[in-house]
Amino acid sequence: LSVIDKWQIFWISINFYIHLGWEMSLLFWFDYMQWPNGWHKFNSFVHAFYAYGDFDSRYRVEPATSYGSNIDKVVLAVEVPAGMIDGVLCVIWLYAMLNNKWYRHPVQLTVSALHAFGTVVFWADEFVVGWMHWIKGNAWVWTNTAGPTDFGFWWAFIGTNLVWVVVPLMCCKHSMTQMKPKLQAAPNTTTKQD
């Protein structure tokens, strides 16, 4: 395996934790703040939701929503499908990489594009409301974070999520670079019609 492959295996390992752990646990633990006896001290996912809620209130919704959740619906709508789809694609990507399968780079490109897109949607949920207020002549509002004057906004909301744009775009570039010679070498099957 090349150095890039080894780094990508490390990245896929992080993806397994996020997609198959953090995101999939939201299917069952969306109401974590309503548990009668609280949560177990070793439940790292729930501790992470609660701690991240210091910087992004979508992870610590109090009181619970009308549908009984302490996690915002946009987070659930983005992260749960990402856990299912991206998680499976990461398994396929790892298998393809380790077994030198032809579909390695198409899968790598697809899952990486989905990572970047999901992060943009995640950010947009916070920025779009502020934009709509501002464009109507009102002050910019921050509905889920403390905004750019808060260190947590830059560290947690932007910084920890920026990884899910930068690294996937590097993986996209790697896949396109690897696929380009093969795609350019394909025979030209188009015919000129008069």
Side-chain angles (χ1 to χ4, degrees):
L1 292 174
S2 71
V3 171
I4 290 175
D5 289 342
K6 290 175 184 175
W7 275 108
Q8 287 181 355
I9 289 171
F10 175 70
W11 175 244
I12 291 170
S13 299
I14 293 168
N15 279 266
F16 286 160
Y17 166 78
I18 293 296
H19 296 313
L20 303 176
W22 173 288
E23 292 171 340
M24 293 304 292
S25 71
L26 290 170
L27 273 172
F28 308 102
W29 296 338
F30 57 87
D31 61 347
Y32 73 95
M33 294 182 69
Q34 301 167 59
W35 297 348
N37 299 320
W39 59 85
H40 195 277
K41 63 182 178 181
F42 295 120
N43 189 331
S44 62
F45 296 126
V46 170
H47 281 287
F49 303 156
Y50 189 80
Y52 194 78
D54 283 343
F55 308 108
D56 186 341
S57 64
R58 296 177 294 181
Y59 284 87
R60 196 191 304 164
V61 176
E62 291 182 279
T65 64
S66 60
Y67 46 92
S69 179
N70 298 110
I71 305 286
D72 183 76
K73 66 184 178 305
V74 172
V75 171
L76 295 172
V78 171
E79 292 199 16
V80 171
M84 295 175 184
I85 296 166
D86 295 356
V88 170
L89 286 174
C90 284
V91 170
I92 296 169
W93 176 14
L94 179 62
Y95 176 82
M97 181 188 306
L98 294 175
N99 294 287
N100 200 27
K101 299 294 185 182
W102 67 267
Y103 51 84
R104 178 247 176 112
H105 289 291
V107 171
Q108 178 176 318
L109 185 61
T110 301
V111 74
S112 296
L114 287 171
H115 284 146
F117 178 75
T119 304
V120 170
V121 170
F122 185 80
W123 282 334
D125 181 50
E126 178 69 356
F127 287 108
V128 166
V129 175
W131 166 259
M132 291 187 296
H133 276 261
W134 182 76
I135 202 74
K136 294 287 188 175
N138 300 311
W140 192 284
V141 296
W142 301 98
T143 56
N144 300 300
T145 69
T149 58
D150 181 58
F151 174 75
F153 173 85
W154 295 105
W155 163 246
F157 184 69
I158 299 296
T160 61
N161 289 299
L162 187 61
V163 171
W164 294 96
V165 175
V166 173
V167 174
L169 290 179
M170 291 168 62
C171 292
C172 285
K173 182 181 183 314
H174 176 251
S175 285
M176 290 188 293
T177 301
Q178 295 299 310
M179 292 188 316
K180 182 179 178 180
K182 294 175 178 92
L183 292 171
Q184 287 181 332
N188 186 355
T189 58
T190 59
T191 58
K192 187 175 183 180
Q193 294 181 350
D194 294 316

